[in-house]
C-alpha cells in the first residue's frame, strides 16, 4: 500500500508573528520556518503504519516555494521514502492546493492520503475536505486513531462532546488531529539519509493545474490588546461591577 502525505512549510509555531506595516500580510523575512505541526503528525502516522508492515511506501508532497524542499527533507528524515514538490511562487490557497494534490494523487495512485487537519498559518481546515470531494473518496477528519485492516481503514475521530469511530473503504482521505500521536525526534543520521532520498519537482503547469488565487486579502491586523484584569475585595463588589459596569447581570 502506498500512502501520500502532504506537508506545508509554515512559520515555526514558536515564533511570534508580526503583521507588515502596510497590513498586507504577515512578515516572514528572516523568520524561522518549519513543517506544519499537524502535517508532522501525519508523516509520523504514515511512518508508523509502514513500520507495522501495513504500508509499503510513504510519499511526502509539498506545494509552494523552492524552500519547501527543506520541509520535504524533514518528512523524509521522519520516515517518508521520497518527496514531490509542486513548485510555484504564487500564493497558494486551499482550493489550488487541493487541485495540485488531486493531480499528484492521479499520478501516484496511493491508496491512502493522510494530511494535517489544518495549517497553523491560515487555519483554513479546507484542503483535506476539498481533495476528498474532488476525488470522490471517503474522508475521516480530526483523526485521533487510525487502524488499517485490509481494504478498510477504521478511524476514531474527535467530535464535540466525545469520539466517533467510522470505517472507510480504501482509497480514502484522513486528516490528523493533535492526539493521534507524538512525532519522533529527528536524529542526525536520519537527516543525512534524507539528503540521499529522491525528490521530484513539478510546476503547476506540468500537472495541468491553474493556481490563480480566487480570494484577495484586504487587510491583516493583530488582535486587539486585552485589558488588564482587576482584583476585587469580595463577592459583593464583584456582583456590583458585573451589574453596573459590565452590565452582564
Amino acid at each position: 500500500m502506498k500512502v501520500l502525505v502532504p506537508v506545508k512549510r509554515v512559520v515555526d509555531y514558536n515564533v511570534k508573528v508580526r503583521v507588515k506595516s502596510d497590513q498586507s500580510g504577515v512578515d516572514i523575512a528572516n523568520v524561522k520556518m518549519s513543517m506544519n505541526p499537524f502535517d508532522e503528525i501525519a508523516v509520523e502516522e504514515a511512518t508508523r503504519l509502514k513500520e507495522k508492515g501495513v504500508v509499503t511506501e510513504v510519499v511526502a508532497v509539498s506545494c509552494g516555494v523552492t524552500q519547501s524542499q527543506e520541509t520535504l527533507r524533514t518528512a523524509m528524515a521522519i520516515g517518508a521514502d521520497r518527496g514531490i514538490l509542486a513548485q510555484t511562487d504564487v500564493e497558494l490557497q486551499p482550493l489550488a492546493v487541493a487541485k495540485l494534490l488531486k493531480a499528484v494523487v492521479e499520478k501516484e495512485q496511493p491508496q491512502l492520503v493522510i494530511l494535517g487537519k489544518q495549517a497553523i498559518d491560515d487555519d483554513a481546515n479546507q484542503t483535506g475536505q476539498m481533495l476528498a470531494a474532488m476525488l470522490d473518496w471517503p474522508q475521516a477528519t480530526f483523526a485521533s486513531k487510525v487502524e488499517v485492516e485490509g481494504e478498510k481503514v477504521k478511524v476514531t475521530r474527535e467530535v464535540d462532546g466525545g469520539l466517533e469511530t467510522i470505517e472507510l473503504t480504501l482509497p480514502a482521505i484522513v486528516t490528523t488531529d493533535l492526539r493521534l500521536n507524538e512525532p519522533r525526534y529527528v536524529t542526525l543520521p536520519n537527516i543525512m539519509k534524507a539528503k540521499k532520498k529522491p525528490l521530484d519537482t513539478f510546476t503547476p503547469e506540468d500537472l495541468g493545474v491553474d493556481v490563480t488565487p480566487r480570494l484577495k486579502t484586504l487587510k491583516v491586523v493583530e488582535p486587539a490588546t486585552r485589558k488588564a484584569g482587576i482584583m476585587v475585595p469580595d463577592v459583593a463588589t464583584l456582583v456590583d461591577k458585573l451589574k453596573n459596569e459590565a452590565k452582564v447581570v
Side-chain angles (χ1 to χ4, degrees):
M1 177 193 291
K2 182 190 292 187
V3 176
L4 194 74
V5 186
V7 295
K8 185 177 183 181
R9 178 178 183 263
V10 299
V11 175
D12 189 87
Y13 68 93
N14 288 311
V15 173
K16 186 182 187 306
V17 295
R18 300 185 306 275
V19 175
K20 292 180 180 178
S21 57
D22 62 359
Q23 297 185 329
S24 62
V26 173
D27 185 8
I28 59 171
N30 301 314
V31 170
K32 182 184 178 184
M33 308 293 283
S34 62
M35 187 190 302
N36 178 47
F38 290 103
D39 296 340
E40 199 172 356
I41 291 169
V43 177
E44 174 67 25
E45 191 63 23
T47 302
R48 292 186 185 188
L49 290 173
K50 183 185 174 186
E51 290 171 346
K52 290 177 183 176
V54 177
V55 169
T56 54
E57 185 180 26
V58 177
V59 182
V61 56
S62 190
C63 307
V65 296
T66 307
Q67 292 89 331
S68 296
Q69 291 185 18
E70 300 168 10
T71 308
L72 287 169
R73 293 295 178 193
T74 301
M76 289 187 273
I78 293 173
D81 297 291
R82 56 190 175 90
I84 297 173
L85 173 61
Q87 184 177 322
T88 177
D89 292 327
V90 176
E91 177 196 350
L92 293 176
Q93 295 170 351
L95 179 60
V97 175
K99 288 179 178 179
L100 288 169
L101 293 178
K102 176 177 181 286
V104 174
V105 166
E106 290 172 346
K107 182 181 178 66
E108 291 290 329
Q109 296 293 310
Q111 286 72 54
L112 183 63
V113 178
I114 306 178
L115 65 162
K117 69 172 184 177
Q118 65 193 70
I120 62 171
D121 52 1
D122 58 14
D123 275 336
N125 183 19
Q126 296 174 347
T127 304
Q129 293 88 327
M130 286 178 171
L131 179 60
M134 288 179 179
L135 292 170
D136 196 24
W137 284 9
Q139 63 175 311
T141 55
F142 315 133
S144 59
K145 187 176 181 181
V146 176
E147 298 173 284
V148 178
E149 301 170 354
E151 294 301 310
K152 305 283 187 181
V153 55
K154 188 180 292 184
V155 178
T156 301
R157 57 189 301 269
E158 301 194 16
V159 296
D160 292 340
L163 301 173
E164 176 185 48
T165 302
I166 59 177
E167 187 176 76
L168 312 176
T169 301
L170 296 173
I173 308 287
V174 175
T175 72
T176 63
D177 215 327
L178 281 173
R179 293 177 183 82
L180 179 58
N181 62 52
E182 187 170 336
R184 68 193 66 188
Y185 177 77
V186 180
T187 62
L188 183 58
N190 286 334
I191 292 173
M192 300 306 293
K193 289 177 185 176
K195 291 182 179 180
K196 298 179 181 178
K197 292 182 178 180
L199 195 160
D200 298 320
T201 301
F202 301 95
T203 64
E205 291 74 24
D206 294 335
L207 298 170
V209 177
D210 176 17
V211 294
T212 304
R214 264 62 175 179
L215 305 174
K216 181 181 179 182
T217 301
L218 300 179
K219 185 169 66 172
V220 177
V221 296
E222 292 188 9
T225 304
R226 293 181 62 179
K227 295 180 180 178
I230 59 171
M231 299 289 290
V232 293
D234 50 45
V235 174
T237 306
L238 173 62
V239 173
D240 178 67
K241 286 185 176 295
L242 290 174
K243 187 175 182 179
N244 298 314
E245 293 182 19
K247 299 190 184 300
V248 294
V249 175

